[in-house]
């Protein structure tokens, strides 16, 4: 993996008010190994990445996105809640998805 992965892991950890020791227990690693992961000095296995995704309840693709800010993560979490909720009908979910895609495609033209 790379430094961006470590930054994302650290961002998730801090947002949830976790210590490196807390995350180390989740992944069955030492606190030092978590520190090395967050600083880009250590890689993690695919199974550990899956554990992180499950633990933080995010899609694994988050770790592979080239750049993700705090606001991007907030938006991803909110969109996931909306799509998972029973408050929206299937048609409303499709409309929301279409609108998001239109915003994305329009931004590429700029």
């Amino acid at each position: 993996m790379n430094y961006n992965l470590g930054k994302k892991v650290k961002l998730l950890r801090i947002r949830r008010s976790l210590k490196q020791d807390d995350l180390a227990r989740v992944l069955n690693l030492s606190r030092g190994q978590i520190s090395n992961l967050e600083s880009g000095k250590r890689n993690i296995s695919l199974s550990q990445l899956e554990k992180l995704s499950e633990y933080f309840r995010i899609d694994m693709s988050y770790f592979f996105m080239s750049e993700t800010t705090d606001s991007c993560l907030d938006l991803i979490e909110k969109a996931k809640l909306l799509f998972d909720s029973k408050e929206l009908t299937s048609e409303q979910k499709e409309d929301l998805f279409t609108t998001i895609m239109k915003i994305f495609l329009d931004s590429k033209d700029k």
Side-chain angles (χ1 to χ4, degrees):
M1 301 289 159
N2 58 30
Y3 179 66
N4 282 335
L5 173 79
K7 287 188 340 186
K8 291 176 183 184
V9 170
K10 185 174 183 177
L11 175 67
L12 287 168
R13 179 180 61 77
I14 290 171
R15 286 177 57 88
R16 300 284 165 46
S17 302
L18 297 171
K19 296 179 180 176
Q20 287 180 334
D21 287 327
D22 300 324
L23 202 52
R25 279 190 288 282
V26 170
L27 295 176
N28 197 28
L29 298 172
S30 70
R31 191 213 50 81
Q33 289 172 308
I34 296 298
S35 176
N36 286 337
L37 170 64
E38 291 180 354
S39 65
K41 297 176 185 171
R42 182 187 200 290
N43 292 328
I44 61 172
S45 69
L46 185 57
S47 65
Q48 289 169 324
L49 199 57
E50 288 173 333
K51 278 185 186 178
L52 279 177
S53 297
E54 290 172 14
Y55 182 77
F56 289 115
R57 287 184 254 150
I58 60 171
D59 192 274
M60 209 159 56
S61 64
Y62 163 76
F63 294 107
F64 300 106
M65 295 168 67
S66 59
E67 208 171 302
T68 308
T69 63
D70 237 6
S71 59
C72 286
L73 187 56
D74 283 340
L75 184 58
I76 290 168
E77 287 177 358
K78 288 175 183 173
K80 183 171 177 20
L81 286 173
L82 272 173
F83 283 110
D84 287 346
S85 79
K86 294 181 180 181
E87 293 178 35
L88 298 178
T89 65
S90 292
E91 185 177 307
Q92 289 171 319
K93 290 177 184 181
E94 286 182 31
D95 289 345
L96 177 60
F97 176 75
T98 303
T99 301
I100 291 170
M101 284 304 296
K102 182 176 180 345
I103 292 168
F104 168 72
L105 292 172
D106 288 347
S107 74
K108 288 185 79 166
D109 293 338
K110 294 180 181 177

